[in-house]
Amino acid sequence: MKSATDFGVHATTADRKQTYCKECFAQIYREKRERQGHLVRPANIPPGWKFCRGCQRVLELSAWSPRRSTADGVAWRCSECMSAADKAKHLARSYGLTIAQVEQMRADPGGVCAVCTSGPAAHVDHDHSTGSVRGLLCFRCNAALGQLGDDPAVIRRAAAYIERMSRLAEVRESAPLTSTSKGPTARRAQ
């Protein structure tokens, strides 16, 4: 025997109550959904915790992003799952790539930047005029190519400039310093 408040409302019965109590009905419904192949959240989740349908873990509410439009005030998936989903959407929308394709591209050069060969290959490099993906670069190299307008002639001139200035600096450092010379080298000699 249970109290009438332990039973849900049912519009077609004489007493307008469900045949099973809320607890038993929830268990029956949960088992039915599992048999149908649906993902079912655990029955007893403590207050301050929530089940993530993405990673299928029960996590504290601090692991969730706030969302005013939901009844409990947090997102429907944990922050980690939301971030992964957002990354996948960005790759698909911007470059037509999947996460698996990006991981394959990262594995090809050993996970390092194709330009400097030292930084982590973490950013998709693409041709801004055609949109075609060229590879994965570190943040610094990807930004540098973008700042130079992806123009091979400008990049070659920049490389020639760096080489010319490096040779000039070597010549200045190897030249003997005299007190009769004028300029910054004379001041260093004194």
Side-chain angles (χ1 to χ4, degrees):
M1 295 296 286
K2 290 190 174 186
S3 168
T5 58
D6 290 335
F7 292 82
V9 176
H10 193 285
T12 61
T13 59
D15 64 354
R16 305 191 55 80
K17 296 291 180 184
Q18 292 279 349
T19 308
Y20 296 99
C21 70
K22 292 176 185 177
E23 189 178 314
C24 291
F25 186 79
Q27 183 60 34
I28 291 167
Y29 181 75
R30 181 173 278 102
E31 290 170 1
K32 175 184 170 189
R33 296 291 288 174
E34 285 175 349
R35 280 194 308 272
Q36 292 173 342
H38 295 282
L39 177 63
V40 179
R41 71 180 183 91
N44 299 320
I45 298 176
W49 292 70
K50 186 174 178 176
F51 177 70
C52 176
R53 293 186 173 276
C55 60
Q56 301 178 13
R57 297 180 295 167
V58 176
L59 303 166
E60 281 189 277
L61 290 180
S62 61
W64 301 75
S65 298
R67 183 76 39 120
R68 280 187 265 172
S69 62
T70 59
D72 59 2
V74 294
W76 53 92
R77 286 183 286 183
C78 69
S79 296
E80 192 176 306
C81 289
M82 291 291 280
S83 177
D86 289 347
K87 181 178 181 179
K89 284 184 212 172
H90 168 71
L91 289 172
R93 182 180 61 245
S94 300
Y95 310 112
L97 296 173
T98 65
I99 290 181
Q101 289 171 318
V102 171
E103 291 305 319
Q104 179 61 42
M105 290 169 63
R106 183 173 289 123
D108 287 344
V112 295
C113 174
V115 174
C116 69
T117 66
S118 62
H123 297 271
V124 177
D125 175 43
H126 69 287
D127 186 330
H128 289 95
S129 59
T130 65
S132 63
V133 174
R134 296 185 284 222
L136 294 179
L137 304 177
C138 68
F139 174 78
R140 189 177 64 178
C141 292
N142 191 36
L145 291 179
Q147 292 294 319
L148 294 174
D150 293 338
D151 186 346
V154 172
I155 294 168
R156 280 192 285 279
R157 284 194 305 267
Y161 169 79
I162 294 294
E163 289 170 353
R164 189 171 56 247
M165 291 298 121
S166 295
R167 284 193 301 272
L168 185 59
E170 288 173 4
V171 169
R172 285 182 183 159
E173 288 178 8
S174 65
L177 299 176
T178 62
S179 60
T180 58
S181 30
K182 296 182 180 179
T185 54
R187 280 184 236 124
R188 279 190 288 164
Q190 295 173 352

